[in-house]
Amino acid sequence: MSLLSPPITEERFIIDLIPQKKPFVMVDKLYEFSEHQIISGLTITKNHFFTENGVFNAPGLIENMAQTVAMHKGYTYYLKDMAAPVGYIGAIKKVEILDLPKIGEELKTTVNILHDIMGVTLVEAFILCNAKRIAESSIKTALA
């Protein structure tokens, strides 16, 4: 695992790694990257699409995990000096939401790449907030 020190936080660069655009961007930091793992960050603000009544809701957590998968693919392509590809969520399995983060808290999302074959990627993802696991999922994505 390659720890990026300091983490990448430049907004334009982060947005270029993923197909989503504002106001639907649910990642704002890249902490660590390797061929088989990525760790992203997101500080919850009142302006996020999925923030409601002072908390970031469950669909936002799922989207954060999916965008972290996209960030992995985007950064992989960046390292090859290629544009980030567009992909789609093929399936989401075994989602567990254990807690919802509040405005001002930071998510640290880890995605472990289990299989990446012919543009189809299967991952396991989990989110930590205040060092506590608050969500986990298995996600399958496919390149367009």
Side-chain angles (χ1 to χ4, degrees), residues 68-138:
T68 301
V69 177
M71 180 184 271
H72 184 274
K73 191 63 76 178
Y75 196 69
T76 299
Y77 274 61
Y78 165 77
L79 293 174
K80 296 176 184 179
D81 200 26
M82 298 169 67
V86 174
Y88 301 98
I89 296 172
I92 299 175
K93 296 188 338 186
K94 193 196 93 175
V95 174
E96 278 191 75
I97 306 298
L98 307 167
D99 201 1
L100 298 175
K102 296 172 184 59
I103 292 172
E105 293 183 321
E106 183 184 15
L107 308 180
K108 275 202 169 176
T109 304
T110 300
V111 167
N112 295 306
I113 311 297
L114 303 177
H115 303 287
D116 190 2
I117 302 168
M118 297 173 47
V120 177
T121 304
L122 178 62
V123 308
E124 288 184 343
F126 64 90
I127 301 173
L128 299 179
C129 183
N130 298 318
K132 175 183 161 193
R133 189 178 287 230
I134 64 166
E136 57 187 58
S137 179
S138 295

Side-chain angles (χ1 to χ4, degrees), residues 53-66:
N53 299 322
V55 298
F56 194 64
N57 62 30
L61 294 174
I62 295 167
E63 183 62 26
N64 167 263
M65 288 184 274

Side-chain angles (χ1 to χ4, degrees), residues 14-104:
I14 296 292
I15 289 173
D16 285 346
L17 295 178
I18 61 174
Q20 295 80 6
K21 301 303 171 220
K22 285 186 172 188
F24 212 66
V25 174
M26 303 299 143
V27 291
D28 62 11
K29 294 170 203 73
L30 175 53
Y31 282 105
E32 296 184 34
F33 174 85
S34 73
E35 181 181 355
H36 299 290
Q37 188 178 66
I38 187 168
I39 300 176
S40 74
L42 176 67
T43 300
I44 306 303
T45 69
K46 66 180 179 179
N47 299 324
H48 277 113
F49 187 81
F50 292 108
T51 301
E52 196 172 23
N53 299 322
V55 298
F56 194 64
N57 62 30
L61 294 174
I62 295 167
E63 183 62 26
N64 167 263
M65 288 184 274
Q67 287 188 23
T68 301
V69 177
M71 180 184 271
H72 184 274
K73 191 63 76 178
Y75 196 69
T76 299
Y77 274 61
Y78 165 77
L79 293 174
K80 296 176 184 179
D81 200 26
M82 298 169 67
V86 174
Y88 301 98
I89 296 172
I92 299 175
K93 296 188 338 186
K94 193 196 93 175
V95 174
E96 278 191 75
I97 306 298
L98 307 167
D99 201 1
L100 298 175
K102 296 172 184 59
I103 292 172

